[in-house]
Amino acid sequence: MALASTLIEKDILALDTDEKNTTVTTGGALNSSSEIHPSGTTGPVVTRRELWAYYLYYSGDNGIGPFGYSLTLFQGLITTAGYDPIQGPGSSCLAEGNSGQCVVPWAGGTKAVSSVVLIANGVSFAVMTLIFTSMNSVADYGTLARWMFLLVTCICWGAQYASITLTKPSRWPVAMVLYMIGNISCGATLVFFAAIFPRLARHTEKTRTLRERYANEDIDRETFEREESMEKNRISNISTMYSCIGETVVLCLGLSVLLPLSDNPLVDNYTIILVNSYWVVVGIWWFIFQQPRPGPPLPKGENYLTIGWKQIWATLKEYKRLPYTFIYLFGFFLLADGLNTTLVLIFICQNATFTFSFLENTYLTLAQTLAGAAGMLGFWYIQRYWKISTKKMLVVPIIVTVLIPFWGMLGIWTDKVGFHNVWEYWAYNIVFGLLQTPFFAYSQTMMAELTPPGYENMFFALFGLSNRASSMIGPNVIQAIIDKSGSNWMAFPFLFAISLCASLIIWLGVDEQQGRRAAQAWARSNQVRN
């Protein structure tokens, strides 16, 4: 770490020297903005219409369909098709007096339904790893990001509409495939979406004014960085709030189908189609109103199939110049593994408690999203009022991330608490909304702070890789624990331990200000070499 700090100081010193020696003027003002953000001075100013289209897209891409309803439909079909291993083939997993276990034929033997669901998630995350490492780095060049974003969005829309074909329990393998396609493509859309907001923040009218004031030495560097960071947080927090609002809207749309058609055997399928249509209606505007901010052309002698891997490898070799970025990525890798797997496990337990009811899950998720919107507003008000840094705001949801599996772990020794009771799921969803929803905004804003300008797609691909690929570990570990123990609750100690370890790494190992300046220095030196 001492060597890394020395390298950072040299890079930042060179950066500061170049800023002071810059003599290029634009409109009569000293333009040192390119020294702060090598790629931040090109492209049009963000319009109100464009920003609204960005928020609306996230309102539709809220995950309720691909991550929630599709999983419930898949788990419901496979459970109906399975049998109680204690009572033998032909028995029903949903009959009164069953053992609480449920298996389906799998690879010449049998496997627990919970394990099959976790395998589907693990395979999905493995495919995401391939996509993020080979595709997203390429998206920093030219206009590829725009078209790749549209492609994965359309694939997700198509997988959701195909859910109308899932009409009987024997089609659970098809449900599994569609769930994985939706999971993978929706995960990819979220990575592309997150990579956009740092560039938007650098091109707002406020940021450009701040950059000009800094160039004219009306404000110091610390003030500029603090205010620009607040602009990143503003866009990230408001977009996350609109995601919560979008969740509320689609859940209400779901209720408009689930209540009057409760006796219709295809009501769950109709619900998925309706909420997916909402995403199409509000999401298409981003691809219409997005303004062109292309990246540099592909370097000579390179091709689109291999440059992504080359870039990532070259970047990894220079980790000493970006220590805080990679410490955060490693910590987030572990934290995302713990959080994502915990959410899947709790959702599995919740589905079993409420007998895979779309209606009950809709009520629970509605409580979560309303609390989430309130939580985002509260967190943003507190941060804006007291000018609190991104890392300090991230601490609260990280603590909650650790406490959730701890609570589930208590269920090993008692039935009074630990996700055994209906009231606990109501409390969990409300607390998650208020205190955990901001995690998704602040974790990606933290990544934006530590990302070299102009390399957003590559580093957010690594961020997405940390988020999704890490979850290959958790689902596979806990499905083995569940298979061996026969209890979902025995998996919570592993999730608590990995979440606690990750939290300590981020709390103690990441310096936000030094990491931001190192990223800026790295981006500039890398452009000079190229």
Side-chain angles (χ1 to χ4, degrees), residues 54-72:
Y54 184 76
Y55 294 151
L56 284 174
Y57 181 92
Y58 205 18
S59 173
D61 191 8
N62 51 62
I64 293 294
F67 300 145
Y69 283 147
S70 292
L71 177 57
T72 300

Side-chain angles (χ1 to χ4, degrees), residues 83-87 92-93 95 97-103 114 352 486 488-489:
Y83 63 89
D84 187 332
I86 305 300
Q87 300 182 19
S92 173
C93 296
N98 63 63
S99 67
Q101 301 181 50
C102 187
V103 299
S114 296
N488 290 338
W489 281 262

Side-chain angles (χ1 to χ4, degrees), residues 412 481-482 485 487-494:
I412 297 174
I481 294 173
I482 292 171
S485 66
S487 170
N488 290 338
W489 281 262
M490 293 303 295
F492 280 113
F494 166 77

